Amino acid sequence: MRKIADNFCGYLKVGDDKYTYYVSDNIVTLLPAQSDNRKIYESFDRIHNCDIERPEYLFGEDNSGMIAILRNGKFSTSGMGFSPVIKFATPIIIKASGNAQDFFSMMTEPWEKFHAITFYGGNINALCDPGIAIQPPDVEKYLKYDGAREIRMRPWSEYTRSIDFRIGNEKVTLTFSIRQDGGTNGIEHQGAYNLGNLNSFIRFSFENAQHFDRIQECYLIAKKLIAILTSQNNVYFEGYLSQKNSDDKFFETGICKIFDRYDNYSTRKCHNVIPIFSIFDYIPNLIEGIVNGKADTLLELLPENNEMVSRISIKNVQDLCTALEVTYHLDDKRIREKDILIEEIKKNIKKTISDFSKSHNEIDVNKETTISSAFQYLDYTLKQKILTLYNENREVADAIVSKWVLPQVNDTNIASFVKLRNNKTHSGTVEWGDSAKLYAPLLAIVYAGFFKYIGLPDEIIICTLLQIF
């Protein structure tokens, strides 16, 4: 598949003004496309004073077709205004997949709309090995090997699955499969003939055509989904857009270049990630958890750099303690017997305050004392919450402890782990000891809590988490 170059130039429109542009990685440099000096600075003034609060796609062309560049931040100009150069950073660039009449005649919607967005390759390949699409060779022919070689592909139905979910009021179909790219002998292969390649893909397809404005939302959902299954945030994949033609078949209309902040990308292989087919039936619930923010505290714990995969900082400990607090209260519908006791204590305290106030009108307890805030956040200690979560997820935590010969998760060791966070917060000191060795089983408990929230059965939770821990 073609890719968008790191550096290219062309023309863009901002409002009614035309600009030349030059793209270098994710930085776009604009110059007013005017020859008259007065018109140049009039154009410069308009872009300098335009509304930048609302993100927008700027449309134009490069040397071979249509281009769209997302601007979701401010334009940068020289402070004194002596030079009419404008710059901005872009997170997404889209390039049309064709420029001939046949391409435009297939479109059933304007180019800036799409019926499907497909993310493929990169870390998605680890979630399901693309090699499963290849028919295993006949053993006798393989052993005979006389130079003749046959590569046969299995039918799409044998490795393709789809499931529906909703984003807001919009019905979306998620399809996971493997795409086949044809052979080439382009310049990038230095004259060698490439038989093609296979990439696993995730496609979001919509009943109604969506505007480019929806791309970033889809990308973030896919990125977070892949990060959770990979157990790292620094994941990478590519994307393209499709429309349905008059025969209701998808055809590619645009390729996407999406920028991220990562210095490197996860190198986890198939045996070190959660296979997507093992949790496929629960993907709608997982995506709902991503959209409503329930996955955020888990995502914040995942490494963003390969160098941090085997390291633990005190910030990691602090973030994990916060995540465990959130996990304890993750399911609003779940009521533990212990939590009922807390509510009973609060009710009794309120009654005591009320009785006291009735007999002592010389003091307003709620306004003149700290009694309200003193019991408003009354709850179990973090140590007690972790113990409760451990007892609820004992099997998976103990399996990881046994696998890596770690200290047992118990009252004493949990207290030492929480003490790491408290000492850093209150005194600024850190004395590691063996306390940090509890990090992996406690992180697994956060994972297990989220997976229980989305409805995964215990047996699936255990076998999937042992893949990434």
Side-chain angles (χ1 to χ4, degrees):
M1 172 173 278
R2 295 182 308 126
K3 294 185 179 181
I4 298 175
D6 292 332
N7 305 289
F8 62 94
C9 58
Y11 291 95
L12 277 181
K13 287 198 72 176
V14 182
D16 294 326
D17 293 311
K18 192 173 185 179
Y19 295 84
T20 62
Y21 72 85
Y22 175 71
V23 172
S24 177
D25 292 325
N26 73 319
I27 302 300
V28 184
T29 302
L30 303 176
L31 280 170
Q34 304 285 348
S35 57
D36 180 78
N37 200 53
R38 181 179 60 82
K39 290 183 177 180
I40 288 174
Y41 279 94
E42 286 177 352
S43 180
F44 175 77
D45 288 340
R46 279 192 290 273
I47 200 171
H48 189 267
N49 296 310
C50 71
D51 177 20
I52 61 169
E53 296 301 320
R54 184 177 60 85
E56 62 178 338
Y57 276 92
L58 304 177
F59 293 89
E61 58 190 39
D62 65 357
N63 61 352
S64 61
M66 296 183 296
I67 204 87
I69 302 177
L70 176 60
R71 178 206 60 76
N72 63 357
K74 65 179 182 179
F75 291 111
S76 176
T77 58
S78 62
M80 301 300 291
F82 294 139
S83 173
V85 177
I86 305 107
K87 293 186 178 184
F88 67 94
T90 179
I92 300 175
I93 299 174
I94 306 160
K95 180 176 171 59
S97 297
N99 57 11
Q101 184 57 40
D102 288 346
F103 171 73
F104 293 107
S105 64
M106 285 193 294
M107 287 189 179
T108 53
E109 297 283 347
W111 178 64
E112 62 270 17
K113 290 192 174 185
F114 63 94
H115 291 105
I117 180 167
T118 303
F119 303 109
Y120 69 95
N123 294 108
I124 299 177
N125 287 338
L127 305 185
C128 178
D129 183 2
I132 67 170
I134 300 175
Q135 186 74 36
D138 181 88
V139 176
E140 291 184 6
K141 290 182 179 179
Y142 185 79
L143 293 175
K144 184 179 178 182
Y145 188 70
D146 58 359
R149 188 176 181 186
E150 184 181 52
I151 300 175
R152 298 186 63 187
M153 304 299 299
R154 296 165 59 198
W156 277 309
S157 60
E158 294 187 17
Y159 51 83
T160 300
R161 288 190 66 182
S162 295
I163 195 165
D164 293 335
F165 67 97
R166 303 194 78 84
I167 301 178
N169 295 323
E170 195 75 35
K171 178 186 174 184
V172 188
T173 299
L174 181 146
T175 300
F176 191 94
S177 188
I178 296 164
R179 53 176 277 124
Q180 309 165 16
D181 290 329
T184 62
N185 61 345
I187 296 174
E188 65 270 23
H189 301 297
Q190 297 182 336
Y193 193 87
N194 179 3
L195 292 177
N197 54 54
L198 301 174
N199 279 298
S200 298
F201 72 79
I202 295 173
R203 182 176 68 209
F204 295 166
S205 52
F206 298 81
E207 286 187 328
N208 303 307
Q210 305 294 305
H211 191 271
F212 283 176
D213 294 343
R214 206 74 189 263
I215 294 174
Q216 196 165 27
E217 179 185 15
C218 294
Y219 165 74
L220 289 174
I221 291 173
K223 190 258 180 192
K224 291 177 179 180
L225 168 64
I226 296 161
I228 289 170
L229 299 183
T230 306
S231 192
Q232 288 186 222
N233 274 314
N234 57 330
V235 294
Y236 167 78
F237 46 87
E238 300 191 62
Y240 65 91
L241 306 174
S242 304
Q243 284 190 16
K244 289 182 180 178
N245 60 19
S246 55
D247 295 325
D248 209 34
K249 302 292 185 182
F250 288 120
F251 74 99
E252 182 189 309
T253 56
I255 53 178
C256 302
K257 191 178 184 73
I258 302 174
F259 298 93
D260 57 54
R261 63 184 184 278
Y262 303 120
D263 296 326
N264 51 48
Y265 297 107
S266 169
T267 57
R268 283 180 175 249
K269 305 302 181 185
C270 294
H271 61 281
N272 282 137
V273 302
I274 297 173
I276 193 164
F277 286 143
S278 70
I279 54 95
F280 199 82
D281 292 337
Y282 302 91
I283 281 181
N285 294 347
L286 200 163
I287 290 177
E288 182 183 358
I290 290 171
V291 172
N292 65 22
K294 297 291 187 179
D296 287 352
T297 50
L298 171 58
L299 287 161
E300 288 172 6
L301 300 175
L302 306 183
E304 299 194 348
N305 190 305
N306 291 339
E307 295 178 0
M308 298 304 297
V309 170
S310 301
R311 300 179 183 179
I312 300 172
S313 69
I314 189 61
K315 184 180 184 304
N316 295 141
V317 172
Q318 292 170 317
D319 290 343
L320 180 54
C321 287
T322 300
L324 288 161
E325 291 261 17
V326 173
T327 301
Y328 185 86
H329 297 287
L330 187 61
D331 190 348
D332 298 333
K333 298 177 182 178
R334 178 173 185 173
I335 301 176
R336 300 176 177 89
E337 289 185 15
K338 297 180 66 161
D339 296 332
I340 295 175
L341 292 176
I342 288 289
E343 293 306 313
E344 185 176 344
I345 293 172
K346 290 181 178 180
K347 187 184 296 184
N348 290 339
I349 292 174
K350 285 182 179 179
K351 184 178 183 302
T352 300
I353 293 172
S354 177
D355 292 342
F356 180 86
S357 297
K358 289 176 182 177
S359 58
H360 295 278
N361 57 12
E362 67 271 21
I363 182 175
D364 188 328
V365 174
N366 291 316
K367 291 183 178 179
E368 298 181 48
T369 74
T370 59
I371 189 67
S372 179
S373 59
F375 82 88
Q376 184 178 358
Y377 301 103
L378 179 65
D379 205 346
Y380 290 105
T381 63
L382 176 58
K383 185 190 80 169
Q384 192 60 45
K385 288 179 180 178
I386 296 174
L387 274 172
T388 301
L389 289 171
Y390 166 68
N391 288 326
E392 293 171 354
N393 302 279
R394 180 188 294 269
E395 195 170 351
V396 67
D398 286 351
I400 292 167
V401 166
S402 176
K403 179 179 179 179
W404 297 107
V405 194
L406 301 173
Q408 291 298 311
V409 182
N410 54 36
D411 189 292
T412 302
N413 290 334
I414 289 174
S416 297
F417 187 85
V418 173
K419 190 176 179 181
L420 279 176
R421 192 271 306 261
N422 294 342
N423 285 349
K424 176 62 178 177
T425 301
H426 300 299
S427 66
T429 61
V430 180
E431 295 180 9
W432 289 100
D434 289 333
S435 302
K437 292 181 179 179
L438 233 57
Y439 189 88
L442 293 183
L443 175 58
I445 287 174
V446 175
Y447 252 106
F450 177 70
F451 281 167
K452 283 186 175 181
Y453 170 77
I454 66 172
L456 239 63
D458 288 344
E459 60 272 16
I460 295 180
I461 292 175
I462 294 168
C463 67
T464 54
L465 291 186
L466 284 175
Q467 293 244 158
I468 59 175
F469 286 98

